Amino acid sequence: MNWLDPVLSALLLALYGLIFGVIGGALFGMLLQALQGGHWDFASLRSMQPSRYEVVVDEAVADEAVRLIGGLQTTGGGSTRT
């Protein structure tokens, strides 16, 4: 069973590395949380909405595209065809 010893050693080393990483990461996270006074420093967004869209169509269907887009509700200004 000489081939089994290196495999077991590698698996044991990986397990120790995983355990050390979890404990070290938890301690580091706790330290950073304590240094920030217990407050998270990020802002969450509910949603992202574009300010405008660009529609690219062939010249043959441009009039139909303008007609279809003209029927949509818009919140912003701007021309529908340039």
Side-chain angles (χ1 to χ4, degrees):
M1 291 216 191
N2 289 338
W3 63 272
L4 192 57
D5 288 336
V7 172
L8 287 176
S9 296
L11 289 175
L12 191 59
L13 183 63
L15 179 65
Y16 285 152
L18 181 66
I19 292 170
F20 178 76
V22 167
I23 293 171
L27 291 175
F28 187 69
M30 287 172 38
L31 175 67
L32 288 178
Q33 182 72 12
L35 289 175
Q36 292 178 351
H39 299 290
W40 292 104
D41 190 21
F42 67 92
S44 61
L45 298 174
R46 292 194 183 268
S47 67
M48 291 176 38
Q49 296 180 351
S51 60
R52 67 186 186 111
Y53 295 93
E54 290 188 21
V55 179
V56 180
V57 297
D58 289 332
E59 187 65 32
V61 294
D63 292 331
E64 179 69 10
V66 169
R67 187 185 67 77
L68 291 173
I69 291 173
L72 298 176
Q73 291 182 344
T74 60
T75 57
S79 65
T80 57
R81 184 173 181 189
T82 57

